[in-house]
Amino acid sequence: MVKKAISILMMSVMLVTAAVPAQAAKVVTTPTSKLPKKTDVDRYKVTVNSDNGTRTFRIFSQGAYGKNTYIRQHGCAACSLTTVLSGYSKKYANYTPAKTCKILEKKVFGTRVWRSNYSKSPARKMPVSLYGITRVLKSCGIKSKYVRFFSDNKAINEITSHLKTGNAVIIEVNNHTQKNGKISSAYNSRWATSKHTMVLLGMTNTGKAIVADSAYRTWSGSKQRVKYAKVSELVKYMIPCKRSSTKCYYTSVDVNGGYILVN
């Protein structure tokens, strides 16, 4: 009788537990009323809600650097990396893109790899690749996951879900649209005149990604360092890789696309 009573009690507990729904994951967004509308400046600080309260990011304009400088011509990835560092690490909160290139890249990649890129003329110096960015982030104690290959729906869902955890995503966009890896032949400079790296800092309460952009886009008016867009729109301009590479600097569209989930 005692064993039977215990068995019945255990079964009752199991049924009650099964009936209790799992706790939904917390969704983190930032109200549009708390976000800027005018950011046509050389540097801008923006604070967004995050998984641990708030994060303040520094966003840089490539146009603030001289006409023939590396940052102006190919510094979008360095600007994006520096923006992420500013929000995720107190140690690197006041770094500039130039300092990231000269100090962090050299330290992480080694002098030989670093010099092979920066010994070239300004026009031929390449941006740090997404793979290279993950190397720097890891060295700085920041976790990340590099997603090289994706379908459009996978990217939309994964990036949206990640932004809603209160964490950033680094993306690479193209001057052509694409659909599941098939790139259109029509030129489209909405988000890039060539290839371009940007950071999605979080999600607004209206369902748009908060875009940190180092480039100037005429269509965006006074919203320059901080822009807003649906993830589905951005994915149309993103580039899935065709192959993997461990080169720390950009080499080709086939191996340098994808996106990085930052934690």
Side-chain angles (χ1 to χ4, degrees):
M1 288 294 293
V2 173
K3 288 184 178 180
K4 186 176 181 181
I6 292 173
S7 177
I8 292 172
L9 178 60
M10 290 178 65
M11 186 176 293
S12 299
V13 170
M14 290 173 64
L15 288 172
V16 170
T17 303
V20 177
Q23 187 174 3
K26 182 182 177 182
V27 174
V28 180
T29 62
T30 302
T32 55
S33 60
K34 301 290 185 181
L35 291 165
K37 295 177 175 60
K38 295 182 179 181
T39 58
D40 189 4
V41 293
D42 292 343
R43 295 186 184 186
Y44 193 85
K45 279 186 179 180
V46 64
T47 299
V48 302
N49 291 335
S50 72
D51 58 344
N52 62 356
T54 61
R55 282 196 187 92
T56 298
F57 294 92
R58 298 174 76 213
I59 310 169
F60 305 85
S61 168
Q62 290 175 252
Y65 291 80
K67 185 176 181 180
N68 295 317
T69 61
Y70 167 75
I71 297 295
R72 184 166 185 147
Q73 293 183 351
H74 297 297
C76 60
C79 289
S80 295
L81 171 54
T82 308
T83 292
V84 171
L85 291 172
S86 72
Y88 279 81
S89 172
K90 290 182 179 179
K91 182 177 180 179
Y92 302 102
N94 294 314
Y95 257 55
T96 63
K99 200 171 180 181
T100 297
C101 295
K102 292 177 181 178
I103 297 176
L104 277 179
E105 289 179 22
K106 187 176 183 179
K107 175 186 174 183
V108 176
F109 305 153
T111 301
R112 184 182 61 81
V113 172
W114 179 85
R115 188 172 290 159
S116 69
N117 186 60
Y118 288 107
S119 62
K120 299 173 184 175
S121 64
R124 294 184 62 212
K125 295 173 184 176
M126 289 293 100
V128 59
S129 67
L130 293 190
Y131 169 77
I133 288 175
T134 64
R135 289 270 308 272
V136 175
L137 292 176
K138 183 178 180 180
S139 176
C140 295
I142 301 168
K143 295 180 181 179
S144 67
K145 176 186 175 184
Y146 182 16
V147 181
R148 299 175 187 268
F149 311 100
F150 62 84
S151 64
D152 291 358
N153 283 338
K154 178 198 172 183
I156 292 168
N157 292 333
E158 187 169 43
I159 291 171
T160 299
S161 295
H162 191 76
L163 292 175
K164 286 182 177 179
T165 69
N167 284 288
V169 180
I170 303 171
I171 66 172
E172 188 85 9
V173 290
N174 196 9
N175 56 2
H176 296 261
T177 58
Q178 65 83 36
K179 186 173 183 180
N180 292 319
K182 185 176 181 180
I183 299 175
S184 168
S185 60
Y187 180 78
N188 189 315
S189 61
R190 180 170 179 81
W191 287 102
T193 54
S194 179
K195 308 296 179 285
H196 188 53
T197 310
M198 302 188 296
V199 186
L200 311 184
L201 305 177
M203 185 74 73
T204 71
N205 61 331
T206 58
K208 289 189 175 182
I210 304 163
V211 185
D213 190 2
S214 61
Y216 181 87
R217 306 294 173 201
T218 304
W219 58 262
S220 196
S222 62
K223 299 182 182 73
Q224 291 300 327
R225 300 294 71 75
V226 183
K227 299 179 175 76
Y228 307 95
K230 291 182 178 180
V231 173
S232 57
E233 177 197 338
L234 294 165
V235 168
K236 289 191 296 185
Y237 294 86
M238 288 167 54
I239 318 161
C241 289
K242 293 182 179 179
R243 296 178 286 111
S244 293
S245 170
T246 54
K247 297 290 185 181
C248 293
Y249 294 98
Y250 183 91
T251 55
S252 74
V253 68
D254 286 354
V255 298
N256 292 123
Y259 53 93
I260 299 170
L261 306 174
V262 184
N263 288 298

